């Protein structure tokens, strides 16, 4: 493209190339779909993985695309969970999908309100504020035990058949298909968002806020927007857990949950959307395996993984991921220049 | 010629240090106005005040007579003030094409669109191409900015400010640190900027200043020492004293 | 009323001793160390083992706690923390959360998950009355010990050679290096003392705060509050902040138990939004 004059369609295609579906992505989702039919006995844990993957995806939106470190993403997870629980126990909205959407919207509203608190200040202030918000919500859920069941958790969440057709069975088949479908739809939406002009401007803001504002971008506006969206995603994840587990508890707000989701995302890698899902998969399988060896103390190994990741260096982990991705890409049917 | 940009008695203090002292500067429409002064004279501080990165301690800033002192940086950009930075401030992970696309979309009001793919709007792409060609970036347009040669980054720095279609363009030492071989490209680009764009140039390189500017203001210790046509400034004994006291660097 | 104030002050001073090490790590190295509570817990368990298992006198258990935590601090600082100082805040957060998780699980494994208490000698039990104010003997001990420590800290930081080296390193590590100060050694020593103090505080606090493997997680936010609200530019800031926090927490739990810790977190957020550098930061940098 050196001497020949540039033409609009070619350049447009070049700009949009980032958004093109890669072969490995298609394989990924076909494999995910296949698990519905091929491993029915593992649907309970797969449901959890899908939900955690969605939760980690929400964190990726703010950490990977806006650079905000949050130690309180569980605030939104828990809020969404209780919203869905209360909608169900009080028979306000019994249609699961509608209830899910409402819980997500309510959580996004909470995200919008609290986003103004994380705009100012350093990483440390943001860590403290996000942590504080999660603690406050947990405390509130604990105090208003008449409404939330307090420390006993929210009991008696029953869930109507999906679209009035599919009953939630005790083996979790419906629950898994439902969770995976929600994850897929929200993933598509997130993929669209990050590849849009808005998404591009987010990457600009993350890369250099000073310059972003010098080309006319309202840095705070973008932060508020993505924080709100991410809160909504986390809320949907929490609501999904309530619906599929038919239970909501205070530990949904806990610091450990915020920390776990951060770990998942770090294992999988930030800033390419799949990191959270892959991280959730690895995390959950690791937890399952470690817990079967040392039931109570698996947290020790999680901690060890965290320390090891940092000491080894996330860059090196990134290189490893890059190498793996390249290998997968090499399996593509037709050749394509990266 | 009407005044586009004006400051009225602008003051900026950092604790006890006075970085801008009662600066009243007027820039005419279409001018090629240079701001010179020894190191530490407060030139970059003045740019930061004009663009809203810093808030003045006292004084007002007007654009076309409108008071913009309280506006945020991005709001000033929308009104037509854009700048480059002395030290490159670019988006390391974006390509030049994406970088310019961000600025153009923002200006055209589609920067918040989340439902379309970036690159799907013809107007944005066409304008990106225009800028890519004007600023000689075609050969590197889809490389990560972080790995571009310094001269290309410097061009992108100017192109990005230009993408905001400013009415007033503030150039903070555009040729700083550029190797001699790539220097010519940048100087030619700056000289070829459209005449209706007002340019306020900060520069140490006196050759560049005197070949480019039709008006020069001299800033010393945060205050305006004098202002005039290049020939008058060159002859001014006070300016000579300031610059003889300190060897003219680069 | 005054008894509550007294208890609150004792509680606050305890928090200060627990958290002041964190103020130094944050202020000195700009290091977000969420694992600070693990050092406090180490001290608590060290004292517990020494006093309850080996019959060491209680007052001797306290310096043992200090030494145990300081030793652990210096080992971890030299082996692990040094590699993380220059990494991003995100890495520091991940690293220190990892340490907390390991500490919690390890202590759970070794010591069991139930709460433990240290046998306090009889002469420290009960309370006496001064002008109608009930003074708990144990809390008086806390105030005395923590008061002395605070004074000592203030003295060391302001008037000794080590203090001036530390302050030089805080202000600008590069310049300090240029002046021939061994900044690494200063860091290590400070980290060890900070950890030791946390351990001492942990041992003293068993009686009041309780001690179980989840201690580092439960009190993490309190330590962070002390440091972020108090600011890291001086030792006075965290001191005032922890005293206020202590009094507010005790009074809050007594007068409006329904409110719980809700109020404290809310105040913290308000303060952080209002003054991100902390309430008592040097020169209000907006």
């Amino acid at each position: 493209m050196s001497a020949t004059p540039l033409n609009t369609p070619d350049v447009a295609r070049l700009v949009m190339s980032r958004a093109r579906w890669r072969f490995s992505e298609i394989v990924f989702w076909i494999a995910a779909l296949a698990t519905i039919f091929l491993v029915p006995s593992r649907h309970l844990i797969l449901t959890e993985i899908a939900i955690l993957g969605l939760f980690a995806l929400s964190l990726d939106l703010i950490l990977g695309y806006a650079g905000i470190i949050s130690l309180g993403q569980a605030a939104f997870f828990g809020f969404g969970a209780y919203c869905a629980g209360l909608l169900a126990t009080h028979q306000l909205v019994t249609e699961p999908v509608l209830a899910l959407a409402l819980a997500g919207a309510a959580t996004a509203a909470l995200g919008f309100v609290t986003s103004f608190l994380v705009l100012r200040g350093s990483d440390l202030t943001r860590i403290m504020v996000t942590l504080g918000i999660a603690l406050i919500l947990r405390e509130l859920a604990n105090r208003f035990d008449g409404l939330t069941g307090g420390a006993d958790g929210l009991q008696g969440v029953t869930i109507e058949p999906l679209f009035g057709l599919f009953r939630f069975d005790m083996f979790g088949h419906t629950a898994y298909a439902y969770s995976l479908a929600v994850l897929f739809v929200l993933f598509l939406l997130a993929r669209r968002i990050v590849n849009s002009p808005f998404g591009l401007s987010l990457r600009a803001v993350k890369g250099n806020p000073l310059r972003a504002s010098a080309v006319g971008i309202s840095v705070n506006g973008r932060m508020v927007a993505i924080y709100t969206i991410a809160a909504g995603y986390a809320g949907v994840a929490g609501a999904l857990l309530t619906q599929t587990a038919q239970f909501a508890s205070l530990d949904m707000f806990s610091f450990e949950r915020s920390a776990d989701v951060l770990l998942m995302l770090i294992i999988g890698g930030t800033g390419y959307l799949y990191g959270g899902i892959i991280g959730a998969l690895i995390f959950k399988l690791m937890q399952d395996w470690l817990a079967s060896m040392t039931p109570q103390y698996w947290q020790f190994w999680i901690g060890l993984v965290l320390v090891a990741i940092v000491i080894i260096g996330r860059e090196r982990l990134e290189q490893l991921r890059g190498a793996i991705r390249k290998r997968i890409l090499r399996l593509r049917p037709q050749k394509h220049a990266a | 010629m009407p005044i586009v940009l004006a400051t009225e008695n602008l003051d900026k203090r950092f604790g006890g240090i006075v970085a801008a002292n009662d600066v009243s500067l007027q820039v005419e429409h279409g001018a090629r106005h240079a701001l010179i002064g020894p190191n530490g004279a407060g030139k970059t501080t003045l740019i930061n005040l004009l663009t809203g990165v810093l808030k003045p301690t006292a004084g007002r800033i007007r654009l076309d007579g409108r008071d913009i002192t309280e506006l945020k940086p991005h709001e000033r950009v929308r009104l037509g003030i854009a700048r480059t930075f002395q030290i490159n401030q670019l988006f390391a992970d974006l390509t030049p094409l994406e970088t310019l696309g961000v600025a153009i979309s923002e200006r055209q009001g589609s920067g918040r669109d989340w439902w379309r793919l970036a690159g799907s709007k013809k107007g944005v792409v066409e304008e990106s191409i225009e800028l890519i060609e004007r600023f000689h970036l075609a050969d590197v347009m889809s490389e990560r900015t972080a790995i571009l040669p310094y001269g290309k980054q410097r061009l992108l720095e100017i192109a990005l400010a230009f993408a905001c279609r400013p009415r007033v363009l503030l150039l903070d030492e555009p040729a700083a640190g550029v190797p001699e071989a790539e220097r010519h490209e940048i100087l030619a680009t700056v000289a070829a900027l459209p005449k209706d764009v007002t340019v306020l140039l900060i520069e140490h390189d006196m050759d560049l200043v005197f070949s480019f500017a039709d008006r020069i203001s001299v800033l010393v210790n945060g205050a305006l020492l004098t202002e005039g046509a290049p020939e008058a400034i060159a002859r001014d004994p006070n300016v000579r004293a300031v610059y003889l006291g300190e060897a003219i660097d680069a | 009323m005054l008894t509550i104030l007294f208890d609150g002050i004792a509680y606050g001073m305890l928090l200060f001793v627990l958290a002041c090490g964190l103020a130094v790590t944050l202020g000195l190295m700009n290091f977000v160390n969420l694992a600070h509570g693990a050092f406090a817990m180490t001290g608590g368990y060290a004292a517990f083992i020494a006093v309850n298992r080996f019959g060491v006198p209680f007052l001797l258990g306290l310096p043992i706690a200090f030494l145990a935590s300081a030793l652990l601090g210096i080992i971890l600082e030299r082996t692990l923390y040094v590699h993380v100082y220059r990494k991003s805040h995100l890495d520091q957060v991940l690293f220190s959360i990892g340490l907390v998780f390991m500490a919690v699980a390890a202590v759970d494994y070794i010591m069991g998950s139930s709460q433990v208490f240290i046998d306090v000698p009889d002469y420290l039990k009960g309370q006496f009355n001064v002008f109608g104010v009930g003074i708990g003997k144990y809390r008086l001990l806390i105030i005395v010990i923590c008061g002395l420590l605070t004074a000592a800290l203030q003295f060391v930081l302001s008037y000794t050679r080590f203090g001036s080296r530390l302050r030089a390193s805080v202000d600008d590590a590069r310049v300090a290096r240029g002046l021939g100060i061994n900044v690494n050694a200063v860091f290590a020593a400070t980290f060890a003392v900070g950890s030791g103090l946390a351990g001492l505080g942990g041992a003293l606090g068993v009686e009041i705060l309780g001690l179980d493997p989840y201690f580092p997680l439960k009190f993490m936010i309190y330590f962070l509050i002390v440091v972020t609200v108090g600011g890291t530019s001086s030792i006075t800031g965290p001191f005032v902040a922890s005293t206020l926090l202590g009094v507010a927490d005790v009074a809050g739990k007594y007068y409006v138990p329904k409110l719980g810790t809700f109020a404290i977190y809310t105040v913290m957020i308000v303060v952080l939004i209002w003054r991100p550098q902390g309430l008592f930061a040097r020169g209000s940098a907006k």
Side-chain angles (χ1 to χ4, degrees), chain B residues 25 48 92 98 111 118 122 126 150 177 185 200 245 247 249-250:
Chain B
L25 179 74
N48 284 335
E98 290 172 326
K122 213 171 155 216
E126 278 169 354
Y150 184 75
E185 202 172 23
L200 181 62
D249 55 334

Side-chain angles (χ1 to χ4, degrees), chain A residues 1-20 188-222 225 229 338, chain B residues 53 72-75 77-78 81-85 88-95 97-99 101-103 105-107 110-120 122 125-126 128-129 132-133 138-139 141-142 156-161 164:
Chain A
M1 70 191 84
S2 48
T4 50
L6 305 167
N7 73 59
T8 313
D10 283 354
V11 174
R13 221 169 294 136
L14 198 63
V15 177
M16 286 190 275
S17 66
R18 198 185 277 274
R20 203 176 32 228
L188 287 183
L189 181 65
R191 199 178 182 284
R192 191 75 183 184
I193 291 174
V194 301
N195 287 312
S196 69
F198 172 78
L200 197 58
S201 71
L202 274 181
R203 285 169 50 213
V205 166
K206 188 195 171 202
N208 191 335
L210 176 66
R211 188 55 188 249
S213 68
V215 297
I217 297 172
S218 161
V219 172
N220 282 358
R222 297 298 145 89
I229 294 170
Chain B
V53 175
K72 298 205 177 83
H74 68 268
E75 294 166 332
V77 177
R78 286 178 198 158
I81 300 184
R83 71 175 291 188
T84 67
F85 292 79
N88 284 341
Q89 295 288 342
L90 296 167
F91 309 122
D93 289 328
L94 269 56
T95 65
L97 202 52
E98 290 172 326
T99 302
V102 165
S105 305
E106 195 61 35
R107 205 199 66 240
S110 60
R112 277 186 226 95
D113 292 1
W114 56 267
W115 56 89
R116 321 185 269 108
L117 290 183
S120 63
K122 213 171 155 216
V125 176
E126 278 169 354
S128 305
I129 293 175
I132 290 280
E133 285 175 342
D139 50 336
M141 67 179 184
S142 24
L156 181 58
E157 178 76 34
I158 302 170
L160 187 51
C164 305

Side-chain angles (χ1 to χ4, degrees), chain A residues 269-318:
Chain A
T270 59
Y272 73 104
L273 295 183
Y274 285 92
I277 305 174
I278 295 171
L281 181 71
I282 298 174
F283 179 88
K284 206 66 206 172
L285 293 179
M286 194 166 70
Q287 185 188 28
D288 209 40
W289 175 63
L290 289 174
S292 66
M293 296 196 309
T294 47
Q296 269 169 288
Y297 310 112
W298 67 273
Q299 217 178 24
F300 180 86
W301 305 106
I302 297 289
L304 189 65
V305 170
L306 274 170
V307 171
I309 285 176
V310 175
I311 297 290
I312 293 167
R314 280 187 291 135
E315 325 75 66
R316 268 175 238 175
L317 204 66
E318 186 52 51

Side-chain angles (χ1 to χ4, degrees), chain A residues 11-94:
Chain A
V11 174
R13 221 169 294 136
L14 198 63
V15 177
M16 286 190 275
S17 66
R18 198 185 277 274
R20 203 176 32 228
W21 280 86
R22 310 283 191 278
F23 179 67
S24 48
E25 289 184 86
I26 297 167
V27 171
F28 180 90
W29 287 107
I30 290 177
L33 183 68
T35 54
I36 296 182
F37 307 103
L38 298 182
V39 282
S41 62
R42 306 289 282 163
H43 277 180
L44 290 176
I45 189 173
L46 283 170
T47 305
E48 264 188 85
I49 290 172
I51 291 170
L52 290 175
L54 181 59
F55 186 28
L57 173 62
S58 84
L59 188 62
D60 196 12
L61 287 176
I62 60 169
L63 182 62
Y65 289 89
I68 301 173
I69 304 180
S70 167
L71 269 187
Q73 198 66 357
F76 303 122
F77 188 83
F79 189 78
Y82 274 87
C83 280
L86 292 173
L87 286 175
T89 49
H90 294 270
Q91 308 273 311
L92 295 170
V93 177
T94 52

Side-chain angles (χ1 to χ4, degrees), chain B:
Chain B
M1 277 292 184
I3 303 297
V4 182
L5 184 65
T7 69
E8 296 166 7
N9 313 99
L10 213 53
D11 275 340
K12 178 68 191 176
R13 285 165 220 280
F14 299 103
I17 301 159
V18 182
N21 184 7
D22 199 25
V23 176
S24 295
L25 179 74
Q26 299 195 324
V27 182
E28 288 181 358
H29 177 79
R32 294 288 179 269
H33 198 130
L35 190 62
I36 65 171
N39 279 325
K43 302 185 296 285
T44 297
T45 301
L46 191 58
I47 294 254
N48 284 335
L49 289 168
L50 291 173
T51 52
V53 175
L54 294 173
K55 284 250 174 287
T57 316
R60 315 304 303 171
I61 303 166
R62 288 180 197 282
L63 182 70
D64 290 322
R66 179 181 167 178
D67 189 337
I68 58 165
T69 319
E70 302 300 326
L71 294 186
K72 298 205 177 83
H74 68 268
E75 294 166 332
R76 299 187 195 199
V77 177
R78 286 178 198 158
L79 290 179
I81 300 184
R83 71 175 291 188
T84 67
F85 292 79
Q86 193 179 337
I87 298 160
N88 284 341
Q89 295 288 342
L90 296 167
F91 309 122
D93 289 328
L94 269 56
T95 65
L97 202 52
E98 290 172 326
T99 302
L100 295 173
V102 165
I104 296 165
S105 305
E106 195 61 35
R107 205 199 66 240
Q108 295 189 352
S110 60
R112 277 186 226 95
D113 292 1
W114 56 267
W115 56 89
R116 321 185 269 108
L117 290 183
S120 63
K121 212 163 193 169
K122 213 171 155 216
V124 176
V125 176
E126 278 169 354
E127 207 181 316
S128 305
I129 293 175
E130 203 186 304
L131 286 172
I132 290 280
E133 285 175 342
R134 179 196 276 267
F135 289 91
H136 315 291
L137 290 164
D139 50 336
V140 294
M141 67 179 184
S142 24
E143 306 276 355
R144 272 181 76 231
T145 298
I147 61 168
L148 299 187
Y150 184 75
K152 292 289 180 189
Q153 291 188 2
R154 215 56 201 146
L155 280 169
L156 181 58
E157 178 76 34
I158 302 170
L160 187 51
F162 196 68
C164 305
R165 287 230 180 126
R167 307 192 29 253
V168 182
L169 181 58
L170 312 176
L171 298 174
D172 195 349
E173 297 195 32
V178 179
E180 203 51 46
E182 298 168 57
R183 205 173 169 79
H184 171 74
E185 202 172 23
I186 291 183
L187 300 186
T189 319
V190 171
L193 290 170
K195 288 293 159 209
D196 61 329
V197 176
T198 309
V199 180
L200 181 62
L201 171 79
I202 289 187
E203 190 51 72
H204 267 304
D205 184 335
M206 288 302 139
D207 289 340
L208 175 54
V209 169
F210 281 95
S211 68
F212 173 78
D214 49 31
R215 192 149 189 91
I216 297 176
S217 297
V218 185
L219 202 64
V220 177
N221 292 332
L224 277 180
L225 178 72
T226 181
E227 191 188 309
E231 311 80 57
I233 295 293
R235 282 195 306 268
D236 192 311
N238 287 328
V239 176
R240 294 183 143 244
V242 167
Y243 272 92
L244 287 177
E246 178 198 306
I248 301 172
D249 55 334

Side-chain angles (χ1 to χ4, degrees), chain A residues 74-290:
Chain A
F76 303 122
F77 188 83
F79 189 78
Y82 274 87
C83 280
L86 292 173
L87 286 175
T89 49
H90 294 270
Q91 308 273 311
L92 295 170
V93 177
T94 52
E95 210 304 303
V97 178
L98 187 59
L100 191 71
L102 279 175
T107 316
L110 177 72
F112 177 76
V113 173
T114 53
S115 69
F116 296 93
L117 303 176
V118 301
L119 287 180
R120 290 187 62 182
S122 58
D123 283 345
L124 181 66
T125 346
R126 284 177 177 163
I127 289 170
M128 297 283 299
V129 169
T130 50
L131 195 60
I133 292 168
L135 286 166
I136 286 176
L137 285 178
R138 187 182 189 282
E139 196 65 25
L140 284 177
N142 191 21
R143 291 296 148 189
F144 291 97
D145 47 7
L147 191 63
T148 63
D152 297 331
L154 189 61
Q155 312 271 358
V157 179
T158 52
I159 180 162
E160 299 287 308
L162 199 57
F163 308 120
L165 293 172
F166 306 101
R167 295 179 53 81
F168 281 81
D169 55 287
M170 63 175 291
F171 306 104
H173 301 321
T174 310
Y176 178 53
Y178 174 51
S179 305
L180 192 61
V182 171
L183 173 65
F184 183 61
V185 169
L186 287 183
F187 174 85
L188 287 183
L189 181 65
R191 199 178 182 284
R192 191 75 183 184
I193 291 174
V194 301
N195 287 312
S196 69
F198 172 78
L200 197 58
S201 71
L202 274 181
R203 285 169 50 213
V205 166
K206 188 195 171 202
N208 191 335
L210 176 66
R211 188 55 188 249
S213 68
V215 297
I217 297 172
S218 161
V219 172
N220 282 358
R222 297 298 145 89
M223 295 269 196
V224 167
I226 193 64
Y227 198 77
T228 303
I229 294 170
Y233 269 59
V236 170
L240 260 184
L241 184 58
T242 303
Q243 290 185 336
T244 54
Q246 313 207 347
F247 180 67
S249 66
L250 287 180
D251 81 271
M252 285 171 167
F253 290 107
S254 71
F255 169 73
E256 284 92 333
R257 195 173 282 276
S258 295
D260 284 351
V261 76
L262 188 57
L263 173 61
M264 288 173 217
L265 183 60
I266 296 302
I267 293 176
T270 59
Y272 73 104
L273 295 183
Y274 285 92
I277 305 174
I278 295 171
L281 181 71
I282 298 174
F283 179 88
K284 206 66 206 172
L285 293 179
M286 194 166 70
Q287 185 188 28
D288 209 40
W289 175 63
L290 289 174

